[in-house]
Amino acid sequence: MEALTYVAFLGLSWVAGALTLIAPAGIGVREFVFILLAQTMEENVDLEVLAAIAIVARCWLIVQELIGVILVYIYFSFSPDNANNARPDVD
C-alpha cells in the first residue's frame, strides 16, 4: 500500500510542477511538493529516502523525454518525405 501512496504523491507533485509558471519543467517544485506530501502523511520516513525517490523520478522523466526526442529524430530522418527532398523536382 505504501508504493501506491508514493505514486499518488508523485502524480500530485507532477500537477503542481506543471502549474508552476516560474520553474522550467517544474524543477524543484515537483520534488518539494512530493517530499512535503510524503512527510505530512508518513511521519516515519527519512528525508534521504524521499529525496532519493524524487531524484530517481526526475531522472526517469528526463530519460523518457530523451527517448522520445531520439525516436522522433529517427522517424523524421528515415521518413519517405525526406527521401523525396533528395531528388530533383521534375515539373
Side-chain angles (χ1 to χ4, degrees):
M1 190 59 137
E2 187 174 321
L4 290 177
T5 305
Y6 289 143
V7 170
F9 293 158
L10 284 170
L12 290 172
S13 66
W14 181 87
V15 171
L19 293 176
T20 303
L21 300 176
I22 59 171
I27 193 155
V29 175
R30 286 184 25 197
E31 292 78 9
F32 174 76
V33 170
F34 170 74
I35 292 172
L36 182 70
L37 286 171
Q39 280 188 331
T40 302
M41 298 297 182
E42 308 262 339
E43 295 154 1
N44 58 353
V45 180
D46 292 333
L47 179 62
E48 292 84 12
V49 172
L50 296 176
I53 293 171
I55 291 169
V56 167
R58 172 63 71 173
C59 291
W60 180 243
L61 179 70
I62 291 170
V63 167
Q64 289 175 341
E65 290 177 355
L66 288 174
I67 289 171
V69 167
I70 290 168
L71 289 175
V72 168
Y73 176 78
I74 290 170
Y75 174 76
F76 283 113
S77 294
F78 298 108
S79 69
D81 293 337
N82 287 339
N84 290 336
N85 291 338
R87 296 184 209 149
D89 290 336
V90 178
D91 291 325

